[in-house]
Amino acid sequence: MRKTLYLKFVLAYIIFGVFGFIVVATFVSSMTTEQLRREKADALYKEATLIANTYASDLYNTVTTLDVVQSQLGALSTYLSATIWIINPSGRMILDSSQKLDVENEVVVEGFDPTVTAGSYYTIGNFFHSFDEEMLSVFAPITSEFKVRGYVVIHTSMNDIYATSNGLLNISYITLCILFLLSLIILIFFTEMVYIPLRKITEATEQYAAGNMHYEFSVESEDEMGYLAASLSYMASEMARFEDNQKKFVANVSHDFRSPLTSIRGYLEAMLDGTIPPEAYDKYLNIVLNETTRLTKLTNSLLTLNNLNTKGMLLNKTDFDINKVIRNTAATCEGTCRQKNIAIELILTGESMYVNADMEKIQQVLYNLIDNAIKFSHHNSVIKIETTEKGNKIFISVKDNGIGIPKDDLKLIWDRFYKSDSSRGKDKKGTGLGLSITREIIHSHGEHINVISTEGVGSEFIFSLAKSAMEDED
């Protein structure tokens, strides 16, 4: 493809040059010759008319002598580089500027016909076989008393006109060559600015199509071609990242499913082969039950995340009291908080605060954030949940005084299955999907969620919701 495109451009360039020379050699050549011929004929006709009205007229009216006119026209013919004749309507030569006529031997132009010009004032040819070469002959009538007494005919060689035309044509050829060479700059620019970058982009596309998403290339350009290359490179890097995430996702899912399944199988086999005595069945069956609960939770989380990522997901948005939902959700975590002697402090704006959102999914967001806060908080600490109103937004904050999140992990906590090194020992039953689900739910509402955390001090998660129109009316 890229070779064909380049060859087409080069072929178009060559065709441009060839047709340029053809046009100059044909149309320009003929037009130049025709223009020079007309200009020469016009100039000579003016001279012929002037001679007919002065010298020739005086000669026919016997105002001057033939020798005087001969001398004057001889000088004029030298100046014009032409031959001047005065002839009678019958074709008899009266005067020839190039030579003196023999009175006894008259010269007659056989077949002379003044109408040969066919309505024009000049003719091209050998002038009734009077010359051995092609001549441009101009007529001007000599009139007296409303009668044509004779004609002034001026002859000039067409070879001179052709020579001048060829000289101008050579200039046209040189100009065309210069333009052709200058237009080569366009070909060079096309090669450097279009063809080479396009070849790099095409080669990169072939690499990406073959699955090599880590192929690197660069186009040093700030125009559309550079933007295209940058976009393609960014797309490949995103696809590579997605592929890596997909592999990591599969590996994490396999690991998180394999661990409880291995545990369940081990305990059940031990019960069957008698390794675990019947009196210890209750203990190990509870362990198996906990592992199945963990598998169920992981499966449900995966299904939830998949549904949230489905394009065109429908939200059941209603107007509800976010303060009430926070109180109810906090109440469901009372048992877990009692185990670690953790208190939940609610700092809510007003008795009620209505938002427009999917209540069920926002309950899940609150539960995930409060559950995380409880897991990573120290014993005998406080978790603060606060609501504030700013403009047409309601901001909900869940703040703990726990272990915090390392700075390097802040951008990674939203990734699926991600668990920081400091949280692995504290979150034995976690799936690593809670924050991913939380972010997807908030983003599906067109809102944002942020985290502020200091390692060893605690973390604060803040997300926004749209204030209900009903709240504005109140």
Side-chain angles (χ1 to χ4, degrees), residues 92-107:
R92 185 171 65 86
M93 186 78 64
I94 303 298
L95 185 144
D96 184 352
S97 64
S98 62
Q99 60 182 350
K100 277 195 174 186
L101 297 178
D102 188 352
V103 179
E104 295 180 357
N105 298 315
E106 64 179 17
V107 178

Side-chain angles (χ1 to χ4, degrees), residues 361-459:
K361 290 184 172 59
I362 296 303
Q363 281 180 319
Q364 188 174 1
V365 168
L366 288 168
Y367 179 81
N368 288 345
L369 294 178
I370 296 172
D371 186 56
N372 265 1
I374 295 171
K375 286 178 184 177
F376 302 114
S377 289
H378 303 295
H379 286 73
N380 305 313
S381 60
V382 177
I383 296 173
K384 293 182 180 180
I385 304 176
E386 183 178 358
T387 59
T388 56
E389 179 181 353
K390 293 182 181 179
N392 61 346
K393 298 288 184 183
I394 304 298
F395 293 88
I396 298 93
S397 165
V398 179
K399 184 177 182 180
D400 64 63
N401 297 305
I403 62 175
I405 304 170
K407 184 178 180 180
D408 294 337
D409 294 342
L410 283 175
K411 293 183 178 180
L412 304 174
I413 60 174
W414 309 108
D415 293 346
R416 301 173 184 180
F417 296 103
Y418 181 78
K419 294 182 181 180
S420 66
D421 293 336
S422 60
S423 70
R424 291 185 185 277
K426 295 181 177 290
D427 190 15
K428 298 292 186 181
K429 296 181 181 179
T431 62
L433 294 173
L435 288 179
S436 294
I437 293 173
T438 297
R439 185 180 64 169
E440 293 295 336
I441 291 174
I442 297 301
H443 284 180
S444 69
H445 282 76
E447 301 295 336
H448 301 281
I449 182 169
N450 296 308
V451 59
I452 302 171
S453 183
T454 303
E455 192 172 5
V457 177
S459 304

Side-chain angles (χ1 to χ4, degrees), residues 173-384:
Y173 281 129
I174 294 172
T175 304
L176 182 62
C177 288
I178 294 173
L179 290 175
F180 188 73
L181 293 175
L182 288 176
S183 63
L184 188 62
I185 298 175
I186 299 175
L187 183 61
I188 295 173
F189 267 91
F190 172 80
T191 303
E192 294 295 327
M193 301 179 68
V194 178
Y195 173 66
I196 293 178
L198 188 60
R199 185 174 60 183
K200 290 182 179 179
I201 292 173
T202 305
E203 185 176 349
T205 306
E206 292 173 351
Q207 291 290 331
Y208 298 149
N212 183 14
M213 294 299 171
H214 296 282
Y215 178 80
E216 295 183 358
F217 76 105
S218 63
V219 174
E220 301 297 330
S221 175
E222 296 182 358
D223 55 12
E224 288 81 357
M225 195 65 68
Y227 179 77
L228 175 62
S231 299
L232 183 64
S233 180
Y234 176 74
M235 180 195 72
S237 65
E238 287 297 301
M239 292 179 66
R241 188 173 68 84
F242 176 78
E243 186 178 347
D244 293 340
N245 289 340
Q246 191 177 38
K247 292 178 180 177
K248 190 184 298 182
F249 176 81
V250 173
N252 287 332
V253 170
S254 300
H255 176 270
D256 280 50
F257 270 91
R258 185 171 58 248
S259 296
L261 286 173
T262 302
S263 178
I264 292 170
R265 179 178 179 178
Y267 288 127
L268 291 177
E269 287 178 347
M271 290 179 185
L272 290 174
D273 62 18
T275 304
I276 297 176
E279 59 270 17
Y281 279 4
D282 288 343
K283 174 184 175 182
Y284 290 102
L285 284 175
N286 283 326
I287 295 175
V288 169
L289 182 61
N290 288 334
E291 291 298 309
T292 57
T293 301
R294 180 182 171 191
L295 284 173
T296 301
K297 184 178 179 181
L298 177 60
T299 303
N300 290 336
S301 296
L302 286 172
L303 290 173
T304 301
L305 195 58
N306 181 67
N307 290 334
L308 289 173
N309 287 332
T310 302
K311 186 176 181 181
M313 180 189 66
L314 296 177
L315 295 174
N316 183 22
K317 285 188 175 184
T318 58
D319 293 327
F320 62 90
D321 183 5
I322 187 64
N323 288 349
K324 182 179 178 181
V325 172
I326 292 173
R327 292 189 189 100
N328 293 339
T329 307
T332 62
C333 300
E334 184 178 342
T336 310
C337 290
R338 189 179 297 114
Q339 295 175 5
K340 299 179 68 173
N341 197 24
I342 295 174
I344 297 179
E345 181 182 352
L346 302 181
I347 308 173
L348 307 178
T349 302
E351 286 297 321
S352 63
M353 182 176 288
Y354 284 85
V355 296
N356 182 260
D358 188 317
M359 185 173 70
E360 184 179 340
K361 290 184 172 59
I362 296 303
Q363 281 180 319
Q364 188 174 1
V365 168
L366 288 168
Y367 179 81
N368 288 345
L369 294 178
I370 296 172
D371 186 56
N372 265 1
I374 295 171
K375 286 178 184 177
F376 302 114
S377 289
H378 303 295
H379 286 73
N380 305 313
S381 60
V382 177
I383 296 173
K384 293 182 180 180

Side-chain angles (χ1 to χ4, degrees), residues 129-143:
H129 308 289
S130 301
F131 297 96
D132 296 330
E133 60 177 316
E134 191 176 28
M135 304 291 288
L136 172 65
S137 303
V138 178
F139 290 78
I142 305 169
T143 59

